[in-house]
Amino acid sequence: MLVSMNWLRKYVDLGDITPEELAEKITKSGIEVEGIEYVAGKPENVVVGYVASCEQHPNADKLKLCQVDVGDETLQIICGAPNVAKGQKVAVAKPGAVLPGGMKIKKVKLRGVESNGMICSLQELGFDEKFIPQDAAKGIFIFPEDTPVGESVIPLLNMDDAILELDVLANRSDALSMLGVAYEVAAILNKEVTLPDESVAFAEEKATDYISVNVDAHDLNPYYAAFMIKDVEIKPSPLWMQNYLMAAGVRPINNVVDITNFVLMEYGQPLHAFDYDRFGSKEILVRRARDGETMVTLDDQERKLTEEQLVITNGAEPTALAGVMGGANSEVHDGTKNVLLEAAYFDGASVRNTVKMTGLRSESSTRFEKGVDPNRVKNAGLRACHLLAKYAGGTVLANAAEFDQLDRSEKTVTVATEAVNERLGTNISDEEIGEILQRLRFPYTKDGSVFTVQVPTRRRDIEIFEDMLEEIARMYGYDKLPYTLPAGSSQAGGLTDEQQLKRKINQFLQGIGLMETRTYSLTNDDRIHLLLSPEVKEQNPVPVQLHMPMSEDHKYLRLSLLPEILASVSYNLARNQQDIAYYEIGSVFISDEEKLTKQPKEQLRLAGAITGKWVDQPWQQEVKKVDFYVVKGIVEGLSELLQVPVSFHQDKVDGMHPGRTALLKIGEKPVGFIGQVHPLLARKMDLKETYVFDINLEEVFTAYAKQLAYHSIPKYPSITRDIAFIMDKEVQAGAVLNYIESVGAPLVKQVRIFDVYEGENLPEGKKSVAYSLLFQDPEKTLKDDEVEERYKEIVEKVNGQFNTYVRS
Amino acid sequence: MKEQLEQIQKEALEKIAAAETMNELQEIRIAYLGKKGSLTAVLKGMGKLSKEERPIVGEAANNVRQSITASLEEKTAQLEEKMMEKQLEEESIDVTLPGRPVRVGGPHLLTSIVEEIEDLFIGMGYEVKEGPEVETDYFNFEALNLPKNHPARDMQDSFYITNEILLRTHTSPMQARTMLEYKGVKPVKMICPGKVYRRDTDDATHSHQFTQIEGLYVDKNVRMSDLKGTLSIFAKKMFGEDREIRLRPSYFPFTEPSVEMDISCKVCHGKGCNVCKGTGWIEILGAGMVHPKVLSMAGYDPEVYSGFAFGMGPERIAMLKYGIDDIRRFYTNDIRFLKQFHHA
Ligand SMILES: [Zn+2]
């Protein structure tokens, strides 16, 4: 809402408060003032001039040579505006004037002829072109004939005005009108409100002889008044009205349209003016549209209607979309003589429906949507009649045709001083509350310390005690509220086990050099099916799709964190950042429903991607690219940190390198995978050799919870034995390790691989893998021969199982 | 014999002083103190001395032995020190060569901000709750006093999946969920951080996905001054002890009264500058007293219980704290951006 301070002064005495001071006060007590704009500069030496003569420039086709009377002298001015003519009153910048754009006016010669000033357009005076009347936008601005010559244009064009931009939130629709703002400002400044003149000298002739009003949809249209104004003269509205409309961001058009817009802004009540002679009947019928019915609106668009929309008809066909837009066929035009003026109350939800279906949101529809004041509908009509009689020479007929089932009753809210202080933590007195209510102009009765407040209908937002509490608090001032802390029950706050674990995992990963990322949960057609972890894929998830996505890129809820993380990696590669180690903890969204009937399962996962160098110390000849075992090491580290045993199983996953991928399991449960992104996919995503991991964190949390028990530290010493097996290349070193662990139990506590060798000195197709076995007995000190015996047994079993032999 | 002893001492001490290697010192030790050494020889000849002379010469010989031994030890220490010096000098390296890189990872800036806020409220006795990102219309809107057709509820602003299921537009649904969990009797003191989604076109100040932290405190006799005190502590810890807060009326359907909290501008301390657009204040969060309808829908009797709620955006806080100009930076994961906040 744009509020002109000069306009506001018509209702409230603002004294000499500056726009900045007023803005601060309004903001602090309820409605945020987002900015202050000044209408234009305040140039000196720009005055009203009378164009005494206007002839062709002798040496230029497009220039006119004018003699302009500016009161104390007559100036010869050359003007290039197409609409300049003899007899006009115009804005003249005299020599010495400085225009808002910085242009200095001097005496000059144009094509050999002297020019002593400039005839200005509104744009040249600093007005925003979009608010200037259409005629004036094309050339210079022409003042009304009765404007005194020689007077400064500053007050005439309202150039000394400041506009406050109010951010009016949904609850304060009352402030979408100058009167509403006036009540608010009057309450803040403790001033009176002067109401506009609504007096009308009615003719004897009755409106009801010209028009009747019938309403079919009482619920959507409880009040409709049709005023009849005869013999209007269409012409520009008075300059002051045009000025205020421009300040409010409304383009002046002609007196009738301007008056309806002016009253809209003044009262917050939309009005609509029909050309009576084009209306097509003597009957107004308000009803729901019929499915498939059409009408052509003011903007010359044909609109297809449904039963959800309310229309104004002439009994036969629609002439307006109620509260939204009029029809082209009954529009007021230059030749309009008789005006049919509508002042009505339309249901907000119905107007919102029409706006949604047509996309036509206007100053009018916005006010209906948020709700207009039922006690101001007819008054707004009367105010418009008053102005139409005054500025359009119209004759207002008596007895508007009305349909009236409008509820105008006021709510009452009870407020006890004690309750106010209990809730606010304050010590406000009865007197202070009484004074605040008076400033707000809320009538009340008082019984002891209990106020029964009658809430004016302009404040539709106030219904219950808490609403009244807010009124009192904001007028009292939040600055005066004390600082206290809750006195109630104290409890220890904290994180849940899983939240703590998540932090621990974050710290671990960051500690070993991974960077946490945040990617979008919404993804596109290409990425939604990429790199799904096998145990996710096994559930045959149906991607959860948005009903109305904003873009193709953010359409589905992700099933894997990896595609977006990889896209981030790729983004960095493109910026010459080669070594990236990223991870993210976040949810994927799993559902098997084609159309959701319940929320999808949100599963917390940990995923990451690493590319480039892992070790980078070239001058010591130590440069190591990331490989499978880096990623595996990370998962093993995590497993070690949380004491959750994770096992690795060679497997294939779509989009992954077929020979360099492992499935992760906790116990028998698949929980994710690691490996190298398939080179073809990597190429498609503009990646280099990249390794990834993806783990279901919820399974990790579950396993962690089971592990939480104390294991005593072994008391007796351990013995280590090393052994190298020669085996076929195809044999998995890990399989042998697992086997040793199982046959070695319970004495073998740990098996480690410390050397892998292929090549010279070994037969073709063989490799040597060296294992280190740690023996320990929790009950006693182990003896060498015991270990030796168990060791031999293990070697024999391994040789038998895997067709290996021991390297001597 | 006395002269002989003096001669030996003199000779030995001179040799020790002149010695330059450990080997030389060893030879000197053998030559004088060894089994066949000259001092030993003198001592062996003591048998020929008279009873009176013997103790005198014995004592003299002992003194000589001690003197030589002490001198040898001293010299040995000297030589060792020299050798060590020499060795260390040889071991000298170029300390300007680059060190072995330790990989440094780090948290995402938003995580740092969220955890800082979490810890701050945990310190005040709050628990941390997390809820689903895909919500029901009921919890996202209706339970928060936003019935269907409420003007503040615009379909255009939310990512709906079906008529009843949508991506949460705020973390406020956890207000209702937590209150239901506590069954209308236990006091509620929680914050809820999480991802939220709005139907916005991504640009420098809008993001279709962002983060929000919701806070809720419900108990008997909770006052609005408690909200002001709590938020003031938060603002001072988060932004600095010298920052002031101001509450301004606002509107949220789920609180009444509703306020917006501003903090005084760090740059101009309230006088007005570019950063605060001339107002002296910077908007930080929205808050208010829990609306009685929200309480009663979640099973808390508004005649008995009252409470406050607040909601803030970690992106906005991070942008203000570090002067970040584009919200998209949080989600493009440019390593050069992320690395700047290792320490955050
Ligand atoms: Zn500032």
Side-chain angles (χ1 to χ4, degrees):
Chain A
M1 172 84 185
L2 298 174
V3 175
S4 147
M5 273 185 70
N6 284 350
W7 189 355
L8 189 60
R9 287 178 204 280
K10 301 282 176 221
Y11 318 107
V12 191
D13 174 12
L14 299 179
D16 50 10
I17 192 167
T18 66
E20 287 75 16
E21 285 165 353
L22 183 60
E24 162 90 8
K25 284 189 187 237
I26 296 176
T27 296
K28 276 179 77 170
S29 53
I31 300 166
E32 188 180 356
V33 179
E34 285 187 311
I36 301 170
E37 260 192 66
Y38 295 88
V39 164
K42 294 182 205 166
E44 282 177 39
N45 288 322
V46 183
V47 300
V48 177
Y50 174 73
V51 183
S53 74
C54 178
E55 278 150 26
Q56 194 61 45
H57 188 291
N59 308 322
D61 286 352
K62 290 191 173 166
L63 297 179
K64 298 268 171 54
L65 182 61
C66 306
Q67 299 301 326
V68 186
D69 173 8
V70 293
D72 48 355
E73 57 184 324
T74 298
L75 298 172
Q76 172 171 299
I77 298 175
I78 294 169
C79 179
N83 62 336
V84 67
K86 184 182 172 202
Q88 289 171 337
K89 300 269 178 79
V90 295
V92 178
K94 299 201 282 189
V98 181
L99 297 184
M103 185 190 212
K104 284 182 192 138
I105 305 302
K106 287 179 284 194
K107 293 188 178 187
V108 290
K109 272 193 171 175
L110 289 170
R111 298 280 180 103
V113 182
E114 202 169 283
S115 180
N116 298 322
M118 179 172 147
I119 301 177
C120 304
S121 67
L122 290 181
Q123 292 97 314
E124 282 159 341
L125 291 174
F127 285 81
D128 190 336
E129 187 170 338
K130 65 176 181 280
F131 303 134
I132 298 173
Q134 244 155 8
D135 290 343
K138 290 180 206 137
I140 52 168
F141 178 76
I142 297 144
F143 286 92
E145 278 171 29
D146 56 358
T147 314
V149 166
E151 205 151 296
S152 165
V153 300
I154 294 173
L156 287 170
L157 291 174
N158 195 38
M159 292 167 75
D160 55 349
D161 201 358
I163 316 291
L164 308 185
E165 286 174 51
L166 268 54
D167 180 19
V168 178
L169 300 176
N171 62 327
R172 290 299 304 273
S173 56
D174 63 295
L176 290 173
S177 67
M178 291 304 292
L179 279 178
V181 174
Y183 276 109
E184 177 77 7
V185 170
I188 294 167
L189 301 178
N190 201 7
K191 290 274 166 65
E192 293 299 319
V193 175
T194 309
L195 294 174
D197 189 351
E198 296 165 359
S199 63
V200 180
F202 290 103
E204 276 185 24
E205 215 178 349
K206 287 176 182 158
T208 42
D209 293 339
Y210 286 79
I211 196 80
S212 67
V213 170
N214 289 298
V215 175
D216 264 2
H218 299 180
D219 51 337
L220 305 185
N221 179 206
Y223 181 79
Y224 195 104
F227 294 88
M228 186 69 197
I229 304 97
K230 280 176 75 178
D231 302 322
V232 297
E233 186 197 345
I234 302 289
K235 58 182 180 183
S237 56
L239 191 52
W240 62 264
M241 189 182 285
Q242 295 190 36
N243 287 334
Y244 289 163
L245 286 174
M246 285 192 276
V250 179
R251 184 199 287 270
I253 293 170
N254 60 44
N255 51 358
V256 173
V257 175
D258 288 0
I259 286 168
T260 58
N261 282 333
F262 181 81
V263 176
L264 164 68
M265 291 299 170
E266 194 176 37
Y267 283 65
Q269 169 63 44
L271 303 171
H272 186 70
F274 296 99
D275 182 318
Y276 176 76
D277 302 303
R278 288 181 168 191
F279 192 71
S281 82
K282 294 178 85 172
E283 179 199 3
I284 289 173
L285 173 64
V286 186
R287 58 164 169 83
R288 286 168 201 272
R290 299 186 186 103
D291 269 335
E293 198 171 6
T294 60
M295 78 168 283
V296 178
T297 43
L298 268 177
D299 52 0
D300 287 327
Q301 300 269 324
E302 192 181 76
R303 309 275 170 185
K304 211 170 176 182
L305 310 175
T306 72
E307 274 186 356
E308 284 186 62
Q309 287 150 355
L310 190 68
V311 288
I312 316 301
T313 73
N314 57 13
E317 55 182 16
T319 56
L321 286 172
V324 177
M325 196 178 252
N329 50 6
S330 57
E331 190 183 354
V332 170
H333 58 103
D334 285 350
T336 296
K337 279 273 160 276
N338 302 308
V339 171
L340 185 58
L341 183 76
E342 162 198 295
Y345 185 103
F346 297 121
D347 174 65
S350 148
V351 172
R352 194 169 321 122
N353 259 329
T354 310
V355 167
K356 256 186 219 167
M357 293 189 118
T358 57
L360 293 169
R361 178 158 277 139
S362 63
E363 296 278 4
S364 294
S365 65
T366 304
R367 284 166 178 80
F368 279 125
E369 282 181 62
K370 297 190 170 161
V372 296
D373 178 357
N375 276 310
R376 219 184 259 164
V377 187
K378 186 170 186 180
N379 296 62
L382 290 170
R383 170 69 171 159
C385 289
H386 169 88
L387 294 170
L388 284 167
K390 202 165 172 182
Y391 298 107
T395 306
V396 184
L397 302 196
N399 296 1
E402 279 179 286
F403 169 82
D404 188 356
Q405 288 193 357
L406 187 56
D407 177 7
R408 295 182 178 80
S409 61
E410 292 176 328
K411 294 205 168 64
T412 50
V413 176
T414 307
V415 178
T417 304
E418 192 191 350
V420 169
N421 286 321
E422 252 173 31
R423 191 60 65 81
L424 294 179
T426 46
N427 205 359
I428 306 177
S429 68
D430 291 352
E431 290 68 33
E432 282 172 299
I433 291 178
E435 198 226 303
I436 287 170
L437 294 174
Q438 270 162 21
R439 277 161 56 193
L440 288 164
R441 266 151 244 293
F442 292 173
Y444 65 86
T445 56
K446 185 166 170 281
D447 180 8
S449 290
V450 179
F451 296 80
T452 303
V453 185
Q454 209 178 319
V455 184
T457 49
R458 65 171 185 276
R459 291 300 304 276
R460 301 166 55 98
D461 56 315
I462 300 174
E463 293 180 335
I464 56 173
F465 164 73
E466 281 76 8
D467 299 325
M468 241 7 266
L469 182 75
E470 177 166 67
E471 292 302 303
I472 293 165
R474 71 188 185 91
M475 284 296 150
Y476 175 73
Y478 286 113
D479 287 351
K480 289 194 247 167
L481 221 58
Y483 296 87
T484 61
L485 285 178
S489 50
S490 62
Q491 61 182 82
L495 296 171
T496 62
D497 291 347
E498 290 186 4
Q499 287 162 351
Q500 288 179 37
L501 209 53
K502 205 158 76 180
R503 284 197 182 189
K504 193 172 170 153
I505 292 169
N506 271 317
Q507 280 160 10
F508 167 76
L509 292 171
Q510 290 160 19
I512 59 166
L514 271 66
M515 192 75 77
E516 190 198 9
T517 58
R518 291 225 171 179
T519 59
Y520 294 130
S521 309
L522 290 166
T523 190
N524 62 23
D525 279 305
D526 286 342
R527 294 180 187 162
I528 184 66
H529 292 292
L530 278 186
L531 296 172
L532 300 198
S533 189
E535 92 280 7
V536 172
K537 199 168 184 178
E538 208 164 66
Q539 302 172 51
N540 292 318
V542 179
V544 176
Q545 187 180 346
L546 298 181
H547 176 56
M548 283 193 299
M550 276 303 273
S551 78
E552 284 296 310
D553 258 345
H554 308 299
K555 193 171 165 186
Y556 301 103
L557 282 166
R558 62 185 173 188
L559 287 165
S560 164
L561 310 187
L562 284 174
E564 295 294 327
I565 297 176
L566 288 172
S568 290
V569 173
S570 170
Y571 176 95
N572 281 286
L573 292 183
R575 279 151 190 83
N576 208 23
Q577 303 293 318
Q578 309 289 345
D579 305 326
I580 304 289
Y582 275 177
Y583 81 94
E584 179 173 354
I585 293 177
S587 291
V588 300
F589 303 82
I590 303 171
S591 166
D592 57 5
E593 296 183 305
E594 284 293 339
K595 185 174 183 342
L596 287 190
T597 59
K598 57 181 187 296
Q599 292 155 272
K601 178 174 164 36
E602 295 183 25
Q603 186 184 80
L604 195 67
R605 298 188 75 90
L606 159 66
I610 311 180
T611 187
K613 296 184 286 290
W614 184 250
V615 179
D616 186 14
Q617 179 77 331
W619 72 269
Q620 289 185 312
Q621 288 78 49
E622 287 181 42
V623 175
K624 231 179 144 356
K625 279 191 352 183
V626 175
D627 61 15
F628 178 88
Y629 299 103
V630 167
V631 187
K632 184 173 179 187
I634 291 170
V635 176
E636 284 173 333
L638 197 62
S639 151
E640 167 77 18
L641 174 82
L642 304 176
Q643 290 293 300
V644 170
V646 176
S647 59
F648 299 79
H649 309 266
Q650 191 111 29
D651 209 334
K652 291 189 175 34
V653 172
D654 282 349
M656 296 294 290
H657 189 303
R660 297 184 177 176
T661 299
L663 192 66
L664 307 179
K665 284 186 183 177
I666 295 175
E668 288 304 306
K669 217 169 202 167
V671 296
F673 69 102
I674 61 167
Q676 183 186 344
V677 176
H678 197 293
L680 287 179
L681 177 59
R683 197 188 302 161
K684 207 174 139 202
M685 295 191 79
D686 295 316
L687 295 165
K688 296 186 176 161
E689 191 174 324
T690 304
Y691 293 84
V692 296
F693 56 93
D694 179 9
I695 306 164
N696 179 346
L697 266 192
E698 289 170 12
E699 292 294 347
V700 174
F701 291 161
T702 309
Y704 176 83
K706 284 184 199 154
Q707 294 286 326
L708 280 183
Y710 170 70
H711 301 282
S712 59
I713 294 159
K715 274 190 253 175
Y716 302 97
S718 58
I719 294 176
T720 305
R721 282 279 189 280
D722 293 348
I723 179 172
F725 288 107
I726 312 290
M727 58 185 84
D728 290 346
K729 265 188 186 172
E730 292 71 36
V731 174
Q732 290 190 330
V736 175
L737 184 146
N738 291 340
Y739 186 75
I740 297 172
E741 276 182 341
S742 72
V743 299
L747 282 193
V748 173
K749 289 288 177 231
Q750 190 187 60
V751 187
R752 219 160 50 82
I753 294 170
F754 67 91
D755 188 41
V756 180
Y757 176 77
E758 287 175 38
E760 257 180 79
N761 304 328
L762 281 182
E764 191 61 24
K766 297 277 184 188
K767 65 181 173 188
S768 155
V769 182
Y771 298 83
S772 176
L773 281 57
L774 183 110
F775 293 82
Q776 196 163 44
D777 190 326
E779 305 298 329
K780 60 179 195 303
T781 302
L782 273 177
K783 291 198 184 91
D784 269 351
D785 48 354
E786 250 178 296
V787 169
E788 192 58 28
E789 197 180 312
R790 182 56 60 90
Y791 169 81
K792 277 184 181 153
E793 198 183 307
I794 291 170
V795 169
E796 239 166 71
K797 282 187 172 164
V798 169
N799 287 343
Q801 181 76 20
F802 294 97
N803 195 22
T804 55
Y805 58 92
V806 176
R807 194 181 188 191
S808 46
Chain B
M1 270 188 100
K2 221 175 166 187
E3 292 79 52
Q4 207 179 341
L5 279 171
E6 274 165 16
Q7 183 60 30
I8 287 170
Q9 182 176 13
K10 191 177 168 233
E11 214 179 279
L13 292 183
E14 274 168 9
K15 279 188 182 166
I16 290 168
E20 278 179 357
T21 67
M22 295 298 264
N23 277 348
E24 281 176 62
L25 283 184
Q26 187 58 19
E27 277 162 22
I28 293 166
R29 179 186 303 274
I30 292 165
Y32 291 92
L33 306 179
K35 279 182 188 160
K36 292 171 186 166
S38 40
L39 189 61
T40 318
V42 171
L43 288 174
K44 275 181 185 162
M46 275 201 357
K48 298 166 190 163
L49 294 179
S50 64
K51 263 189 183 170
E52 292 74 34
E53 273 180 320
R54 217 178 280 164
I56 299 165
V57 173
E59 200 194 329
N62 227 359
N63 286 343
V64 170
R65 169 180 281 276
Q66 273 172 16
S67 157
I68 293 172
T69 306
S71 179
L72 274 170
E73 270 167 17
E74 194 187 334
K75 187 71 183 184
T76 304
Q78 275 174 20
L79 283 182
E80 270 174 355
E81 197 178 316
K82 253 190 190 161
M83 278 165 61
M84 178 63 82
E85 266 171 28
K86 200 174 166 224
Q87 186 192 344
L88 293 184
E89 201 174 310
E90 280 162 5
E91 286 173 2
S92 153
I93 56 165
D94 182 352
V95 298
T96 65
L97 282 170
R100 179 178 302 275
V102 173
R103 295 191 62 98
V104 180
H108 191 278
L109 176 57
L110 287 175
T111 305
S112 306
I113 299 271
V114 168
E115 287 188 359
E116 190 179 348
I117 295 171
E118 280 176 2
D119 291 343
L120 216 149
F121 281 98
I122 287 170
M124 291 195 265
Y126 287 69
E127 56 180 330
V128 179
K129 288 274 180 187
E130 286 159 298
E133 291 168 42
V134 181
E135 259 298 356
T136 60
D137 186 87
Y138 177 79
F139 280 109
N140 196 74
F141 289 128
E142 285 184 44
L144 294 166
N145 194 27
L146 273 147
K148 294 207 157 85
N149 258 325
H150 191 283
R153 166 176 169 170
D154 196 336
M155 284 281 286
Q156 298 301 316
D157 295 339
S158 316
F159 282 122
Y160 273 88
I161 296 162
T162 69
N163 282 337
E164 294 302 326
I165 299 175
L166 74 162
L167 304 194
R168 66 177 172 193
T169 57
H170 43 197
T171 50
S172 318
M174 280 311 282
Q175 284 193 22
R177 286 187 179 275
T178 309
M179 283 191 276
L180 286 176
E181 182 190 336
Y182 288 173
K183 301 199 185 330
V185 283
K186 251 177 89 177
V188 179
K189 215 172 169 185
M190 69 96 178
I191 62 164
C192 171
K195 292 170 191 157
V196 300
Y197 306 84
R198 300 258 170 104
R199 261 187 111 251
D200 264 326
T201 305
D202 295 342
D203 63 23
T205 52
H206 298 85
S207 179
H208 74 274
Q209 175 181 329
F210 56 102
T211 321
Q212 206 181 49
I213 299 180
E214 180 83 6
L216 176 70
Y217 184 23
V218 174
D219 202 346
K220 288 169 186 161
N221 303 319
V222 178
R223 300 160 296 177
M224 195 155 184
S225 55
D226 298 333
L227 170 65
K228 191 176 175 186
T230 302
L231 292 181
S232 173
I233 289 180
F234 160 73
K236 284 176 188 294
K237 290 209 172 144
M238 197 71 197
F239 296 99
E241 284 298 324
D242 58 337
R243 307 300 277 278
E244 297 298 322
I245 70 160
R246 135 179 127 164
L247 301 183
R248 229 171 356 92
S250 188
Y251 172 66
F252 307 106
F254 35 96
T255 50
E256 188 73 35
S258 301
V259 290
E260 206 90 53
M261 184 189 89
D262 300 336
I263 56 166
S264 57
C265 175
K266 168 173 76 173
V267 179
C268 65
H269 294 282
K271 286 192 204 80
C273 69
N274 286 339
V275 174
C276 55
K277 292 185 197 134
T279 62
W281 297 92
I282 291 169
E283 197 175 308
I284 291 293
L285 55 78
M289 302 302 287
V290 182
H291 197 286
K293 281 188 194 160
V294 174
L295 287 173
S296 59
M297 275 187 281
Y300 280 77
D301 181 357
E303 298 292 323
V304 180
Y305 285 90
S306 57
F308 60 73
F310 52 86
M312 62 186 106
E315 277 91 346
R316 181 173 168 75
I317 289 172
M319 288 169 92
L320 286 172
K321 240 182 144 166
Y322 298 102
I324 297 162
D325 56 354
D326 191 330
I327 194 169
R328 288 170 294 197
R329 294 239 175 272
F330 295 105
Y331 296 95
T332 39
N333 298 307
D334 189 317
I335 186 94
R336 296 161 297 180
F337 174 81
L338 296 177
K339 271 188 177 167
Q340 290 181 43
F341 301 104
H342 273 156
H343 58 282

